[in-house]
Amino acid sequence: MISLRTVYLLLILGSGFTCYAVPETKPAEFKKMLANARLVQDFNSDSAVGLYNAIYAQSREAKNLHVLVESLLGLAQTHIGSGQYMLAFPKLKEAKILAKDLDEPELVLRTLSMEVGLYSKMGQSSKQLKVAFEYLDKAKSLGRSDDVAWMSSTIGDVYRSMRQSENARKFIEDAQSHFVANNDTHGILATSNNLALVYDLEDDYSQALRMFFNMLKHRDQMSQEKIAIVYSNIGRTSYRAGLFDQSAEFLQKSIDIREKLNDPHRLAKVYNEMATLKKLEHDFGEALSFGLRALEISKNLDSPFLLRDINMQLSEIEEALGNWESAYRYRSTFEDYNRIVYNQEKNEDIANARLEYELGQAQHEMDQLAWERAQAEDRQQLTIYKIIALALLILLIAVIVVHRLRLQKKRLKMAIYEHKRSAVQQLDKAISDKHSLERQLHLKNQELMTHALWMLDKNRLLVEVKKEMELIGARYNISSDDQDSFKLLVDQGANVDKDWAEFQTHFNRIHHSFLSGLKNMASELTSKELRICAMIKSNLTTNEISSLLAISPKSVNMSRYRIHKKLNLPHGQKLSDYLFQVNFDEPQLQKNAS
């Protein structure tokens, strides 16, 4: 039974491949086009989308499904990078179906991984978990232990964001066990960070801090960005644990690194956290200083969430200092940003709801197809059970049926064998006919050349006879009238028109439509020029043509020049090469030759 994914694939190919009229593209060209699209993807999303759409169209025309999936993944990644999540989903959906039907595990895993990241950006944890588990099952079936470990770590982090610490710890510890067994420092550090955050979630601050400090022992293997993240995590956990001095120390270290890395968004967040810490210590002057620094940095950022939190922080600090006017001003700004955030969240909720509806509709259709398939399979299974039961009850009938099936199978094999044998015989006959046709054409060509040479020899002989007659007449004083009568008889024997008619008859048997086709193509060609074309086509030299037509070689060359000009041939192209190649009626030629 055909799978649902295959049906979907056939619908795509059947509906789409005829929609574009693009030239055939080779795999190497596709590879270059994908590389160019990826090159502009990070700094010009519109250009990247245009390039990927062109690749998508051409790969559908060329029926290159691998490149088709690559273009879909590129489009999805570009849409995700520009925040156009609604546009990314259908591309990922189509890519996933095609990748599964192509049976390319790498493409399937990449598609699922991208879908996990998309749900993460949209904050849809439940759907993120569903796709992550699908990725996990696929990686396990392929024996990709590293991929299993990394996705287990991701699943644990999703559970942590959902505040399900027990599930989070289980998956993160499983991933960490794999990384420890394989001495994968990068994986160990990543899972240690996630596990420490789980302990922080459970208010086990001492264990969380112990894990963060253990990570710092490997700081020589960590980037400055990751060290700054660990410092920030230590700072947050420390002030939750009431260790304010330690919190201030590590938040300041994070600030120092962030300033060097020129990371304004995270730098503003750490300054705001320092303001929170100083506020908890009732050092409102320092808190105000850090808060103002966070506000100054964040003013150039398009981050209403961060600006809302900073203004709320400053409002509380100014209120604690008794600066009611400043507190009111910051509170008003907080309210403005809060409305912006509220509107953004509402818009995202509406977009998510629309997306949920569209995905739900698509899922409903897929579920309906799956249900119909399941029903068909159930009916088929029930039929099999009935057949088995009937076979058990009526063993003799079953034996007879099996015997008949074997006979039918044997007959089918014999029929297939006979069909193959007949096909081979037909092929042999076709090859034999082809060889016979080639021999006949060769004989016709030989016959034409023999006739041409005969006419040539005849005309040469008659020319010699005329010359000899003139010598004899002069030697024996033969009268002029007798010499003229003899020359007339010789000229009648060398009748060019009669010779041409015979030559044309033989020529047309081989090259049926050559003369008429040439005349149609260049109507200004004279009959004499057509004769010369036919003789050139018959591979006769200039001297031979001059003898046959009873003209001088110079006249033949002049005629060749005029023919070349009338046919509008390029300056460097030889007339003989053109006439050898041109063929106005190949099927008719073969028919006449046979």
Side-chain angles (χ1 to χ4, degrees):
M1 182 175 290
I2 299 174
S3 70
L4 294 176
R5 294 196 307 273
T6 304
V7 172
Y8 186 83
L9 172 64
L10 293 174
L11 288 175
I12 289 174
L13 299 181
S15 63
F17 284 149
T18 58
C19 296
Y20 302 92
V22 292
E24 182 180 356
T25 309
K26 297 179 180 179
E29 295 174 357
F30 276 131
K31 187 176 181 180
K32 185 176 180 180
M33 292 168 70
L34 286 170
N36 290 336
R38 291 172 185 138
L39 190 64
V40 302
Q41 183 173 315
D42 293 334
F43 58 87
N44 193 329
S45 58
D46 292 338
S47 297
V49 168
L51 288 171
Y52 280 125
N53 278 327
I55 298 169
Y56 177 82
Q58 294 189 34
S59 60
R60 290 181 70 173
E61 177 69 18
K63 300 182 181 180
N64 191 326
L65 299 186
H66 181 88
V67 176
L68 185 64
V69 175
E70 289 284 1
S71 66
L72 287 168
L73 292 178
L75 282 169
Q77 191 172 9
T78 306
H79 290 320
I80 292 171
S82 58
Q84 297 175 307
Y85 304 142
M86 292 284 291
L87 297 176
F89 263 112
K91 305 301 181 186
L92 281 178
K93 198 78 173 176
E94 186 177 349
K96 185 196 290 188
I97 293 172
L98 292 172
K100 288 180 178 179
D101 276 294
L102 281 172
D103 194 25
E104 292 196 17
E106 190 65 34
L107 284 179
V108 174
L109 291 178
R110 279 176 56 197
T111 305
L112 293 172
S113 177
M114 200 177 294
E115 196 172 358
V116 170
L118 179 56
Y119 281 125
S120 174
K121 289 181 179 294
M122 298 183 67
Q124 297 186 5
S125 301
S126 58
K127 289 189 175 180
Q128 185 184 3
L129 274 179
K130 180 180 178 182
V131 180
F133 277 114
E134 185 180 352
Y135 180 103
L136 199 66
D137 292 339
K138 183 68 176 177
K140 285 180 178 178
S141 67
L142 297 171
R144 307 279 285 268
S145 57
D146 287 342
D147 292 328
V148 170
W150 280 110
M151 190 52 66
S152 295
S153 178
T154 300
I155 291 172
D157 201 41
V158 175
Y159 274 128
R160 180 187 62 79
S161 68
M162 297 170 68
R163 307 189 72 80
Q164 297 182 23
S165 58
E166 186 176 346
N167 287 332
R169 188 189 303 106
K170 175 183 178 299
F171 280 94
I172 295 172
E173 286 178 346
D174 287 346
Q176 191 172 57
S177 299
H178 170 81
F179 293 133
V180 170
N182 289 275
N183 197 23
D184 186 341
T185 305
H186 178 56
I188 293 170
L189 292 173
T191 50
S192 295
N193 185 69
N194 290 342
L195 201 54
L197 292 174
V198 172
Y199 284 120
D200 183 87
L201 176 66
E202 295 175 336
D203 299 331
D204 190 351
Y205 303 123
S206 60
Q207 182 64 19
L209 288 171
R210 188 179 302 111
M211 296 197 72
F212 284 135
F213 282 118
N214 283 335
M215 289 178 65
L216 291 178
K217 294 178 181 179
H218 303 280
R219 72 182 71 192
D220 57 328
Q221 301 181 43
M222 299 167 62
S223 65
Q224 289 296 301
E225 170 67 22
K226 293 189 182 299
I227 293 173
I229 291 172
V230 175
Y231 283 157
S232 296
N233 289 338
I234 292 175
R236 294 189 199 100
T237 304
S238 295
Y239 75 65
R240 290 194 190 101
L243 304 173
F244 297 139
D245 291 339
Q246 180 173 287
S247 175
E249 175 189 353
F250 281 94
L251 287 177
Q252 185 59 50
K253 288 183 177 180
S254 179
I255 288 173
D256 294 341
I257 295 177
R258 295 289 180 202
E259 288 180 340
K260 292 178 182 178
L261 294 175
N262 192 22
D263 186 357
H265 188 273
R266 292 185 178 177
L267 181 61
K269 288 181 69 175
V270 180
Y271 269 116
N272 195 43
E273 289 171 354
M274 283 288 282
T276 301
L277 174 62
K278 295 300 179 182
K279 184 178 68 175
L280 290 174
E281 294 178 332
H282 298 286
D283 188 353
F284 297 112
E286 283 291 313
L288 181 61
S289 175
F290 282 114
L292 290 173
R293 179 62 179 146
L295 182 63
E296 180 184 355
I297 296 171
S298 60
K299 279 183 178 179
N300 297 322
L301 302 176
D302 183 18
S303 179
F305 290 89
L306 180 58
L307 286 165
R308 179 193 63 177
D309 295 342
I310 293 173
N311 278 280
M312 184 63 188
Q313 180 90 278
L314 288 170
S315 174
E316 292 175 353
I317 295 171
E318 291 285 15
E319 187 177 335
L321 290 170
N323 299 328
W324 306 108
E325 184 178 347
S326 296
Y328 176 74
R329 187 174 68 254
Y330 287 125
R331 176 72 68 170
S332 298
T333 307
F334 162 77
E335 293 295 341
D336 291 340
Y337 280 114
N338 201 38
R339 281 191 291 273
I340 293 173
V341 170
Y342 175 79
N343 290 333
Q344 283 186 354
E345 290 176 342
K346 282 295 181 184
N347 290 335
E348 287 181 2
D349 289 342
I350 292 171
N352 289 338
R354 185 183 297 113
L355 179 61
E356 285 287 338
Y357 173 76
E358 293 175 356
L359 292 176
Q361 289 292 102
Q363 189 62 46
H364 174 72
E365 294 176 1
M366 295 295 289
D367 291 343
Q368 181 68 23
L369 288 172
W371 180 82
E372 292 175 359
R373 178 190 177 190
Q375 289 293 104
E377 288 178 348
D378 289 343
R379 288 193 295 270
Q380 184 180 13
Q381 195 69 25
L382 182 60
T383 303
I384 292 172
Y385 289 148
K386 288 180 179 179
I387 292 173
I388 292 174
L390 184 62
L392 291 173
L393 291 173
I394 314 172
L395 183 59
L396 179 60
I397 295 177
V399 171
I400 295 173
V401 169
V402 171
H403 179 67
R404 288 182 177 177
L405 287 175
R406 288 177 177 174
L407 286 177
Q408 289 178 0
K409 186 176 180 181
K410 186 175 180 181
R411 289 170 186 161
L412 180 61
K413 286 183 177 179
M414 289 298 297
I416 293 172
Y417 171 76
E418 288 296 330
H419 178 72
K420 288 182 178 179
R421 190 167 64 85
S422 175
V424 170
Q425 290 176 347
Q426 290 177 5
L427 179 61
D428 291 341
K429 185 177 183 302
I431 294 172
S432 176
D433 291 344
K434 178 184 176 183
H435 291 162
S436 176
L437 178 62
E438 290 175 348
R439 286 194 299 271
Q440 291 179 27
L441 286 174
H442 181 68
L443 290 174
K444 292 290 183 181
N445 279 320
Q446 284 185 336
E447 183 180 345
L448 176 63
M449 288 302 300
T450 301
H451 183 75
L453 292 174
W454 175 82
M455 290 192 299
L456 182 63
D457 290 341
K458 183 195 74 171
N459 287 346
R460 286 176 179 170
L461 180 61
L462 291 175
V463 168
E464 292 295 328
V465 168
K466 286 176 68 177
K467 290 180 180 179
E468 191 65 28
M469 182 60 196
E470 290 175 355
L471 293 174
I472 293 172
R475 184 183 302 167
Y476 297 102
N477 296 322
I478 299 174
S479 65
S480 298
D481 292 338
D482 291 338
Q483 290 186 33
D484 291 341
S485 298
F486 185 80
K487 288 179 180 179
L488 180 61
L489 289 174
V490 170
D491 289 340
Q492 289 176 352
N495 191 327
V496 174
D497 291 335
K498 181 180 178 183
D499 288 346
W500 163 248
E502 293 177 1
F503 180 86
Q504 185 178 12
T505 300
H506 288 283
F507 183 84
N508 285 339
R509 289 177 185 173
I510 300 174
H511 307 289
H512 175 75
S513 301
F514 178 79
L515 294 173
S516 59
L518 205 59
K519 183 66 176 177
N520 291 335
M521 187 170 66
S523 57
E524 61 271 23
L525 289 173
T526 65
S527 59
K528 178 183 176 182
E529 289 168 344
L530 288 173
R531 293 179 185 182
I532 292 174
C533 288
M535 292 179 181
I536 293 173
K537 178 79 171 178
S538 300
N539 204 20
L540 296 178
T541 64
T542 300
N543 290 332
E544 291 171 342
I545 295 173
S546 66
S547 297
L548 286 173
L549 297 180
I551 58 177
S552 68
K554 184 176 179 181
S555 298
V556 175
N557 288 329
M558 289 298 298
S559 297
R560 289 172 71 111
Y561 173 77
R562 287 193 294 271
I563 295 168
H564 192 284
K565 191 171 181 181
K566 289 179 181 181
L567 292 176
N568 293 322
L569 298 183
H571 178 69
Q573 185 174 7
K574 292 183 178 180
L575 176 62
S576 57
D577 291 343
Y578 173 76
L579 294 177
F580 288 153
Q581 293 173 0
V582 71
N583 193 356
F584 295 101
D585 191 1
E586 183 65 26
Q588 186 66 37
L589 183 151
Q590 295 180 2
K591 179 178 177 182
N592 287 316
S594 62

